Amino acid sequence: MRITILQGAFLPVPPLRGGAIEKAWQALGEAFARAGHEVTHISRLCDGLPSKESIKGVCHLRIPGAEACNHSALLKIRELLYVWRARKILPKADILVTHAFWAPLLFPETDAGKIYVHVGRYPKGQMKFYSKAARLQAPSHSVARAISAELPDGDQRVHCIPYPLPFKASQEIHYSDKPKQVLYAGRIHPEKGVLDLIQAWSRLPESLRKQWSLKIMGPWREEQGGAGISFLEKLKRAGGEAVDLVEPVFDEAELIRQYQQARVLVYPSQAKAGETFGLAVLEAMSCGCVPLVSDLECFGDFIENGVNGIQMEKKYNLQDSLHKLLVSVSLEEMSRFAIRTAQHYEVDIVADQFVQDFQRLLRE
């Protein structure tokens, strides 16, 4: 099968600047290639990457893109120019996977492949215009429901396949050997609940804070999806010396090491129209971290409350939830179940789900 993957205009592949979607589709593309498929991956040309190269059996083509910004109209214009450039270099294929906003509108139904739209962000009314798309694929059931709500009669083109775990889940984790560290890993942005976490941490009993440490790690720059330097400085003032704020980690080996050094991952996101899966949560679980997450629906796809993590109820009290978790006698058992859950999302397993769906579309 010939598969083309078209990423968006703003981040490169390999994901040198992070990006859950870029990370996931790089891993999936390589899994497709391992299975014997012909894979072309189109992404942004930047950061010294060549315009063409082969990585693990995948042909990478790169074209000029743009820096992200907080102006939605300008973002759409920048991506429009990128997608138009991509259209000129599309190879012949059976399947064309894309999450670029304009691609399902501008690409013709030609031998570039059946258009397979990965809906990596909550839909905002555009789904009804994607009549050329053969599939509208959601990473979680909550996103699938949101897509269906924009279409007549729900539309049979909607299908849910999760993000893959980009690396192997840890086989041997000795939970008691981990430092007593609480970790947040994700974008440094108000909608992620990072300030709420720091404030909740500061209200914990001093005796508990002396036993544990809190590390906040993630991209804060606006072009990386963060809220910028002013919000970062606000977090530093709120946390003081009691909170370790560190730069984002994009190297996979170092990211795994960070997860392995934490016992608990707290991900209190309140991005109701932005959180579509929570890949960082699954990554942390694969390294034995026990997750504490907000009440967003997408986490319910893989968090079993009280078994492999804790999902707070609506109108949650983050301080109380964190306190209860840190003194829980079930942390080690939940850690084991978290690893087992993550193993079901390893990349070859999820890639096979995609291949079966591609084949189903081609038969149709």
Side-chain angles (χ1 to χ4, degrees):
M1 194 186 317
R2 297 168 301 174
I3 303 168
T4 299
I5 302 168
L6 172 64
Q7 302 284 176
F10 307 109
L11 293 172
V13 178
L16 305 178
R17 305 185 185 189
I21 296 176
E22 287 72 18
K23 181 188 296 187
W25 282 102
Q26 181 192 16
L28 287 167
E30 292 170 3
F32 299 153
R34 285 195 300 271
H37 303 287
E38 182 182 327
V39 183
T40 301
H41 204 142
I42 302 173
S43 59
R44 182 187 174 187
L45 177 64
C46 63
D47 297 349
L49 293 168
S51 59
K52 183 177 181 179
E53 70 174 326
S54 179
I55 303 176
K56 297 184 179 180
V58 177
C59 175
H60 284 265
L61 303 178
R62 301 186 180 96
I63 55 176
E67 293 295 328
C69 64
N70 288 328
H71 194 291
S72 58
L74 183 56
L75 276 178
K76 292 293 186 291
I77 293 171
R78 289 177 177 179
E79 189 171 62
L80 174 62
L81 297 174
Y82 168 86
V83 168
W84 193 255
R85 294 185 197 107
R87 174 175 169 158
K88 296 177 181 179
I89 65 165
L90 289 175
K92 290 184 178 181
D94 301 299
I95 296 290
L96 170 60
V97 179
T98 185
H99 68 98
F101 175 85
W102 293 103
L105 296 171
L106 297 180
F107 289 174
E109 296 176 277
T110 64
D111 49 6
K114 286 181 177 285
I115 299 175
Y116 194 99
V117 179
H118 168 68
V119 187
R121 299 284 183 267
Y122 260 82
K124 297 179 180 179
Q126 75 270 35
M127 294 295 114
K128 57 182 173 289
F129 300 116
Y130 287 174
S131 58
K132 296 177 185 176
R135 174 70 75 222
L136 301 169
Q137 177 261 324
S140 66
H141 288 91
S142 60
V143 176
R145 288 190 289 270
I147 297 170
S148 295
E150 293 189 2
L151 301 170
D153 303 321
D155 202 317
Q156 297 301 309
R157 294 176 299 157
V158 182
H159 191 57
C160 180
I161 302 178
Y163 280 125
L165 178 67
F167 42 78
K168 286 281 186 181
S170 300
Q171 301 298 316
E172 293 292 334
I173 291 288
H174 299 288
Y175 191 79
S176 59
D177 294 339
K178 283 171 166 265
K180 284 190 171 181
Q181 183 185 94
V182 176
L183 174 68
Y184 167 83
R187 290 189 298 114
I188 307 300
H189 195 282
E191 69 178 8
K192 293 293 188 176
V194 190
L195 182 58
D196 293 341
L197 171 58
I198 291 177
Q199 291 171 339
W201 178 263
S202 68
R203 292 193 294 266
L204 290 175
E206 185 178 356
S207 59
L208 194 59
R209 284 187 280 119
K210 284 183 177 180
Q211 297 176 43
W212 291 78
S213 62
L214 173 63
K215 178 181 286 188
I216 306 290
M217 180 180 72
W220 55 268
R221 293 175 176 84
E222 291 184 16
E223 62 269 23
Q224 295 175 334
I229 188 65
S230 60
F231 184 64
L232 180 67
E233 293 299 328
K234 185 176 183 178
L235 296 183
K236 289 180 179 179
R237 290 192 298 272
E241 295 182 359
V243 178
D244 188 14
L245 278 102
V246 301
E247 288 292 312
V249 172
F250 300 131
D251 176 72
E252 184 176 284
E254 176 59 21
L255 184 61
I256 292 171
R257 193 185 75 80
Q258 292 289 339
Y259 289 140
Q260 290 174 338
Q261 292 298 306
R263 291 195 181 191
V264 170
L265 178 96
V266 181
Y267 202 84
S269 175
Q270 293 302 299
K272 294 182 179 180
E275 206 71 61
T276 60
F277 184 77
L279 185 58
V281 180
L282 189 68
E283 290 177 345
M285 290 170 68
S286 77
C287 296
C289 291
V290 177
L292 172 64
V293 300
S294 62
D295 65 339
L296 298 184
E297 290 183 31
C298 61
F299 299 129
D301 280 13
F302 57 90
I303 298 289
E304 190 174 352
N305 212 2
V307 177
N308 61 5
I310 299 295
Q311 182 169 20
M312 293 175 279
E313 298 178 356
K314 293 185 183 299
K315 298 182 180 178
Y316 68 93
N317 184 310
L318 181 53
Q319 177 190 344
D320 289 346
S321 299
L322 183 56
H323 189 179
K324 289 177 183 177
L325 184 61
L326 295 186
V327 299
S328 171
V329 296
S330 303
L331 277 173
E332 188 165 356
E333 184 179 5
M334 283 194 282
S335 172
R336 289 196 297 269
F337 279 108
I339 295 172
R340 292 179 194 175
T341 298
Q343 289 170 342
H344 294 296
Y345 291 83
E346 288 184 351
V347 64
D348 288 336
I349 295 173
V350 175
D352 187 58
Q353 295 178 44
F354 276 103
V355 168
Q356 290 182 37
D357 197 34
F358 296 161
Q359 292 171 338
R360 188 179 303 116
L361 290 177
L362 295 177
R363 286 196 300 271
E364 292 174 0

Coordinates of all heavy atoms in Angstrom, one line a residue, residues 274-338:
G274 N -9.9 21.6 23.5 CA -8.6 21.5 23.0 C -7.9 20.2 23.3 O -7.0 19.7 22.5
E275 N -8.3 19.6 24.3 CA -7.7 18.3 24.7 C -8.4 17.2 24.0 O -9.6 16.9 24.2 CB -7.8 18.1 26.3 CG -6.7 17.2 26.8 CD -5.3 17.9 26.8 OE1 -5.2 18.9 27.5 OE2 -4.4 17.3 26.2
T276 N -7.6 16.4 23.2 CA -8.3 15.4 22.4 C -7.9 14.0 22.8 O -8.6 13.0 22.4 CB -7.9 15.6 20.9 OG1 -6.5 15.5 20.7 CG2 -8.4 16.9 20.4
F277 N -6.8 13.8 23.6 CA -6.4 12.5 23.9 C -5.6 12.5 25.2 O -6.0 11.9 26.2 CB -5.6 11.8 22.8 CG -5.2 10.4 23.1 CD1 -6.1 9.4 23.0 CD2 -3.9 10.1 23.5 CE1 -5.7 8.1 23.3 CE2 -3.5 8.8 23.8 CZ -4.4 7.8 23.7
G278 N -4.5 13.2 25.2 CA -3.6 13.2 26.4 C -2.5 12.3 26.3 O -2.2 11.4 27.1
L279 N -1.7 12.4 25.2 CA -0.6 11.5 24.9 C 0.5 11.5 26.0 O 1.0 10.5 26.4 CB 0.0 11.8 23.6 CG 1.1 10.8 23.1 CD1 0.6 9.4 23.0 CD2 1.7 11.3 21.7
A280 N 0.8 12.7 26.6 CA 1.7 12.8 27.6 C 1.4 11.9 28.8 O 2.2 11.3 29.5 CB 1.9 14.2 28.1
V281 N 0.1 11.8 29.1 CA -0.4 11.0 30.2 C -0.1 9.5 29.9 O 0.4 8.8 30.8 CB -1.9 11.2 30.4 CG1 -2.4 10.3 31.6 CG2 -2.2 12.7 30.7
L282 N -0.4 9.1 28.7 CA -0.1 7.7 28.4 C 1.3 7.4 28.4 O 1.8 6.3 28.8 CB -0.7 7.4 27.0 CG -0.7 5.9 26.5 CD1 -1.7 5.1 27.4 CD2 -1.1 5.8 25.1
E283 N 2.2 8.3 27.9 CA 3.6 8.1 27.9 C 4.1 8.0 29.4 O 4.9 7.1 29.6 CB 4.3 9.3 27.3 CG 4.1 9.4 25.8 CD 4.8 10.7 25.2 OE1 5.1 11.6 26.0 OE2 4.9 10.7 24.0
A284 N 3.6 8.8 30.3 CA 4.0 8.7 31.7 C 3.6 7.4 32.3 O 4.3 6.8 33.0 CB 3.5 9.9 32.4
M285 N 2.4 7.0 32.0 CA 1.9 5.7 32.5 C 2.8 4.5 32.0 O 3.0 3.6 32.8 CB 0.4 5.5 32.0 CG -0.6 6.4 32.6 SD -2.2 6.3 31.8 CE -2.7 4.6 32.3
S286 N 3.3 4.6 30.8 CA 4.1 3.5 30.3 C 5.4 3.4 31.1 O 6.1 2.4 31.0 CB 4.5 3.8 28.8 OG 5.5 4.8 28.7
C287 N 5.8 4.5 31.8 CA 7.0 4.5 32.7 C 6.7 4.3 34.1 O 7.5 4.6 35.0 CB 7.8 5.7 32.4 SG 8.4 5.9 30.7
G288 N 5.4 3.9 34.4 CA 5.1 3.6 35.8 C 4.5 4.8 36.6 O 4.3 4.6 37.8
C289 N 4.3 5.9 36.0 CA 3.7 7.1 36.7 C 2.2 6.8 36.9 O 1.6 6.4 36.0 CB 3.9 8.3 35.9 SG 5.6 8.9 35.8
V290 N 1.8 7.2 38.1 CA 0.3 7.1 38.3 C -0.3 8.5 38.0 O 0.1 9.5 38.5 CB 0.1 6.8 39.8 CG1 -1.5 6.8 40.1 CG2 0.7 5.4 40.2
P291 N -1.2 8.5 37.0 CA -1.8 9.8 36.6 C -2.9 10.3 37.4 O -3.7 9.5 37.9 CB -2.3 9.5 35.2 CG -2.7 8.0 35.2 CD -1.7 7.4 36.2
L292 N -2.9 11.6 37.6 CA -4.0 12.3 38.2 C -4.5 13.3 37.2 O -3.7 14.2 36.9 CB -3.6 13.0 39.5 CG -4.6 14.0 40.2 CD1 -5.9 13.2 40.6 CD2 -4.0 14.7 41.3
V293 N -5.7 13.1 36.6 CA -6.1 14.0 35.5 C -7.4 14.6 35.8 O -8.1 14.2 36.7 CB -6.2 13.1 34.2 CG1 -4.9 12.5 33.8 CG2 -7.3 12.1 34.3
S294 N -7.8 15.6 35.0 CA -9.0 16.4 35.2 C -10.2 15.5 34.7 O -10.1 14.4 34.2 CB -9.0 17.7 34.5 OG -8.8 17.5 33.1
D295 N -11.4 16.2 34.7 CA -12.6 15.4 34.3 C -12.9 15.4 32.8 O -14.0 15.0 32.4 CB -13.8 16.0 35.1 CG -14.1 17.5 34.7 OD1 -13.2 18.1 34.1 OD2 -15.2 18.0 34.9
L296 N -12.0 15.9 32.0 CA -12.2 15.9 30.5 C -12.5 14.5 30.0 O -11.9 13.5 30.4 CB -11.0 16.5 29.8 CG -10.7 18.0 30.2 CD1 -9.6 18.5 29.3 CD2 -11.9 18.9 30.0
E297 N -13.5 14.4 29.1 CA -14.0 13.1 28.6 C -12.9 12.2 28.0 O -12.9 11.0 28.1 CB -15.1 13.3 27.6 CG -16.4 13.8 28.2 CD -17.5 13.9 27.2 OE1 -17.5 13.1 26.3 OE2 -18.3 14.8 27.4
C298 N -11.9 12.9 27.3 CA -11.0 12.1 26.5 C -10.2 11.2 27.4 O -9.8 10.1 26.9 CB -10.1 13.0 25.7 SG -9.1 14.1 26.7
F299 N -9.9 11.6 28.6 CA -9.1 10.7 29.5 C -9.8 9.4 29.9 O -9.2 8.4 30.2 CB -8.7 11.5 30.8 CG -7.9 12.7 30.5 CD1 -8.2 13.9 31.1 CD2 -6.7 12.7 29.7 CE1 -7.5 15.1 30.9 CE2 -6.0 13.8 29.5 CZ -6.4 15.0 30.1
G300 N -11.1 9.4 29.8 CA -11.9 8.2 30.1 C -11.7 7.1 29.2 O -12.1 5.9 29.5
D301 N -11.0 7.3 28.0 CA -10.8 6.2 27.1 C -9.7 5.3 27.6 O -9.7 4.1 27.3 CB -10.3 6.8 25.8 CG -11.4 7.3 24.9 OD1 -12.6 7.4 25.4 OD2 -11.2 7.5 23.7
F302 N -8.8 5.7 28.5 CA -7.8 4.8 29.0 C -7.5 4.9 30.5 O -6.7 4.2 31.0 CB -6.5 5.0 28.2 CG -5.9 6.5 28.3 CD1 -5.0 6.8 29.3 CD2 -6.3 7.4 27.3 CE1 -4.5 8.1 29.3 CE2 -5.8 8.7 27.3 CZ -4.9 9.0 28.4
I303 N -8.1 5.9 31.2 CA -8.0 5.9 32.7 C -9.2 5.2 33.3 O -10.3 5.6 33.1 CB -8.0 7.4 33.2 CG1 -6.8 8.2 32.6 CG2 -7.9 7.4 34.7 CD1 -5.4 7.8 33.1
E304 N -8.9 4.2 34.1 CA -9.9 3.5 34.9 C -9.7 4.0 36.3 O -8.8 3.6 37.0 CB -9.7 2.0 34.8 CG -10.9 1.2 35.4 CD -10.7 -0.3 35.1 OE1 -9.8 -0.7 34.4 OE2 -11.6 -1.1 35.7
N305 N -10.7 4.8 36.8 CA -10.6 5.5 38.0 C -10.3 4.5 39.2 O -11.0 3.6 39.4 CB -11.8 6.3 38.3 CG -11.5 7.6 39.0 OD1 -10.4 7.9 39.3 ND2 -12.6 8.3 39.3
G306 N -9.2 4.8 39.9 CA -8.8 4.0 41.1 C -8.1 2.8 40.8 O -7.6 2.1 41.7
V307 N -8.0 2.4 39.5 CA -7.3 1.2 39.1 C -5.9 1.5 38.5 O -4.9 1.0 39.0 CB -8.1 0.4 38.0 CG1 -7.4 -0.9 37.6 CG2 -9.5 0.0 38.7
N308 N -5.9 2.3 37.4 CA -4.6 2.7 36.8 C -4.3 4.2 36.9 O -3.4 4.7 36.3 CB -4.5 2.2 35.4 CG -5.6 2.9 34.5 OD1 -6.4 3.7 35.0 ND2 -5.7 2.5 33.2
G309 N -5.1 4.9 37.7 CA -4.9 6.3 37.9 C -6.2 6.9 38.5 O -7.1 6.2 38.9
I310 N -6.2 8.2 38.6 CA -7.3 8.9 39.2 C -7.8 10.0 38.2 O -7.0 10.8 37.8 CB -6.9 9.6 40.5 CG1 -6.5 8.6 41.6 CG2 -8.1 10.4 41.1 CD1 -7.6 7.6 42.0
Q311 N -9.1 10.0 37.9 CA -9.7 11.0 37.1 C -10.7 11.8 38.1 O -11.6 11.2 38.6 CB -10.5 10.5 35.9 CG -11.1 11.7 35.1 CD -11.6 11.2 33.8 OE1 -11.9 10.0 33.5 NE2 -11.8 12.1 32.8
M312 N -10.4 13.1 38.2 CA -11.2 13.9 39.2 C -12.6 14.1 38.6 O -12.8 14.2 37.4 CB -10.5 15.2 39.4 CG -9.2 15.1 40.2 SD -8.3 16.7 40.3 CE -7.5 16.8 38.7
E313 N -13.5 14.2 39.5 CA -14.9 14.5 39.2 C -15.1 15.9 38.8 O -14.2 16.8 39.1 CB -15.8 14.1 40.3 CG -15.8 12.6 40.6 CD -16.7 12.2 41.8 OE1 -17.3 13.1 42.4 OE2 -16.8 11.0 42.1
K314 N -16.2 16.3 38.2 CA -16.5 17.7 37.9 C -16.5 18.5 39.2 O -16.8 18.0 40.3 CB -17.9 17.8 37.2 CG -17.9 17.1 35.9 CD -19.3 17.3 35.2 CE -19.4 16.6 33.9 NZ -18.3 17.1 32.9
K315 N -16.1 19.8 39.0 CA -15.9 20.7 40.1 C -14.9 20.1 41.1 O -15.2 20.2 42.3 CB -17.3 21.0 40.8 CG -18.2 21.7 39.8 CD -19.5 22.0 40.5 CE -20.5 22.7 39.6 NZ -21.8 23.0 40.2
Y316 N -13.9 19.5 40.6 CA -12.9 18.9 41.4 C -12.2 19.9 42.3 O -12.1 21.0 42.0 CB -11.9 18.1 40.6 CG -11.0 19.1 39.8 CD1 -9.7 19.5 40.3 CD2 -11.4 19.6 38.5 CE1 -8.9 20.3 39.6 CE2 -10.6 20.4 37.8 CZ -9.4 20.8 38.3 OH -8.6 21.7 37.6
N317 N -11.6 19.3 43.4 CA -10.7 20.1 44.3 C -9.3 19.5 44.1 O -9.0 18.4 44.6 CB -11.1 20.0 45.7 CG -10.3 20.9 46.6 OD1 -9.1 20.8 46.6 ND2 -10.9 21.7 47.5
L318 N -8.5 20.2 43.3 CA -7.2 19.6 43.0 C -6.3 19.4 44.2 O -5.6 18.3 44.3 CB -6.5 20.5 42.0 CG -5.1 20.1 41.5 CD1 -5.1 18.7 40.9 CD2 -4.6 21.1 40.4
Q319 N -6.4 20.3 45.1 CA -5.6 20.1 46.4 C -5.9 18.8 47.1 O -5.1 18.0 47.5 CB -5.8 21.3 47.3 CG -5.0 21.2 48.6 CD -5.4 22.2 49.6 OE1 -6.0 23.3 49.2 NE2 -5.1 22.0 50.9
D320 N -7.2 18.6 47.3 CA -7.7 17.4 48.0 C -7.3 16.1 47.3 O -6.9 15.1 47.8 CB -9.2 17.5 48.3 CG -9.6 18.5 49.3 OD1 -8.6 19.0 50.0 OD2 -10.7 18.8 49.4
S321 N -7.6 16.2 45.9 CA -7.3 15.0 45.1 C -5.8 14.6 45.1 O -5.4 13.5 45.2 CB -7.7 15.2 43.7 OG -9.1 15.5 43.6
L322 N -5.0 15.6 45.0 CA -3.5 15.4 45.1 C -3.1 14.9 46.4 O -2.3 14.0 46.5 CB -2.8 16.7 44.7 CG -1.3 16.7 44.6 CD1 -0.8 15.6 43.6 CD2 -0.7 18.0 44.3
H323 N -3.6 15.5 47.5 CA -3.3 15.0 48.8 C -3.6 13.6 49.0 O -2.8 12.8 49.5 CB -4.1 15.9 49.9 CG -3.6 15.7 51.3 ND1 -4.2 16.4 52.3 CD2 -2.7 14.8 51.8 CE1 -3.6 16.0 53.5 NE2 -2.7 15.0 53.2
K324 N -4.9 13.2 48.7 CA -5.3 11.8 48.8 C -4.4 10.9 48.0 O -4.1 9.8 48.5 CB -6.8 11.7 48.4 CG -7.8 12.3 49.3 CD -9.2 12.2 48.8 CE -10.2 12.9 49.7 NZ -11.6 12.9 49.1
L325 N -4.0 11.3 46.8 CA -3.2 10.4 46.0 C -1.8 10.2 46.6 O -1.3 9.0 46.6 CB -3.1 10.9 44.6 CG -2.4 10.0 43.6 CD1 -3.0 8.7 43.4 CD2 -2.2 10.7 42.2
L326 N -1.2 11.2 47.1 CA 0.1 11.1 47.6 C 0.3 10.3 48.9 O 1.3 9.8 49.2 CB 0.7 12.5 47.8 CG 0.9 13.4 46.6 CD1 1.6 14.7 46.9 CD2 1.7 12.7 45.5
V327 N -0.8 10.2 49.6 CA -0.8 9.4 50.8 C -1.4 8.0 50.6 O -1.5 7.2 51.6 CB -1.5 10.1 52.0 CG1 -0.8 11.4 52.3 CG2 -3.0 10.4 51.7
S328 N -1.9 7.7 49.4 CA -2.5 6.5 49.1 C -1.6 5.3 49.2 O -0.4 5.3 48.8 CB -3.1 6.5 47.7 OG -3.6 5.2 47.3
V329 N -2.1 4.2 49.8 CA -1.3 3.0 49.9 C -1.4 2.1 48.6 O -0.7 1.1 48.5 CB -1.8 2.1 51.1 CG1 -1.6 2.8 52.4 CG2 -3.3 1.7 50.9
S330 N -2.2 2.6 47.6 CA -2.4 1.8 46.4 C -1.5 2.3 45.2 O -1.7 1.8 44.1 CB -3.9 1.9 46.0 OG -4.7 1.4 47.0
L331 N -0.6 3.3 45.5 CA 0.1 3.8 44.4 C 0.9 2.8 43.6 O 1.0 2.8 42.4 CB 1.1 4.9 44.9 CG 0.5 6.3 45.1 CD1 1.5 7.2 45.8 CD2 0.1 6.9 43.8
E332 N 1.6 1.9 44.3 CA 2.4 0.9 43.6 C 1.6 0.0 42.7 O 1.9 -0.3 41.6 CB 3.2 0.1 44.6 CG 4.3 -0.8 43.9 CD 5.3 -1.3 44.9 OE1 5.3 -0.9 46.1 OE2 6.2 -2.1 44.5
E333 N 0.4 -0.4 43.2 CA -0.5 -1.3 42.4 C -1.0 -0.5 41.2 O -1.1 -1.1 40.1 CB -1.6 -1.8 43.3 CG -2.6 -2.8 42.6 CD -3.7 -3.2 43.5 OE1 -3.8 -2.7 44.7 OE2 -4.4 -4.1 43.1
M334 N -1.4 0.7 41.4 CA -1.9 1.5 40.3 C -0.8 1.7 39.2 O -1.1 1.7 38.0 CB -2.4 2.9 40.8 CG -3.8 2.8 41.4 SD -4.6 4.4 41.6 CE -3.7 5.0 43.0
S335 N 0.4 1.8 39.7 CA 1.6 2.0 38.7 C 1.7 0.7 37.8 O 1.9 0.9 36.6 CB 2.8 2.2 39.5 OG 4.0 2.1 38.7
R336 N 1.5 -0.5 38.4 CA 1.6 -1.7 37.6 C 0.5 -1.7 36.6 O 0.7 -2.1 35.4 CB 1.5 -2.9 38.5 CG 2.8 -3.2 39.4 CD 2.8 -4.6 39.9 NE 1.7 -4.8 40.8 CZ 1.7 -4.6 42.1 NH1 2.8 -4.1 42.7 NH2 0.7 -4.8 42.9
F337 N -0.7 -1.4 37.0 CA -1.9 -1.4 36.0 C -1.7 -0.3 35.0 O -2.1 -0.5 33.8 CB -3.2 -1.2 36.8 CG -3.7 -2.5 37.4 CD1 -3.7 -2.6 38.8 CD2 -4.2 -3.5 36.6 CE1 -4.2 -3.8 39.3 CE2 -4.7 -4.7 37.2 CZ -4.7 -4.8 38.5
A338 N -1.1 0.8 35.3 CA -0.8 1.9 34.3 C 0.1 1.4 33.2 O -0.2 1.6 32.0 CB -0.2 3.1 35.0

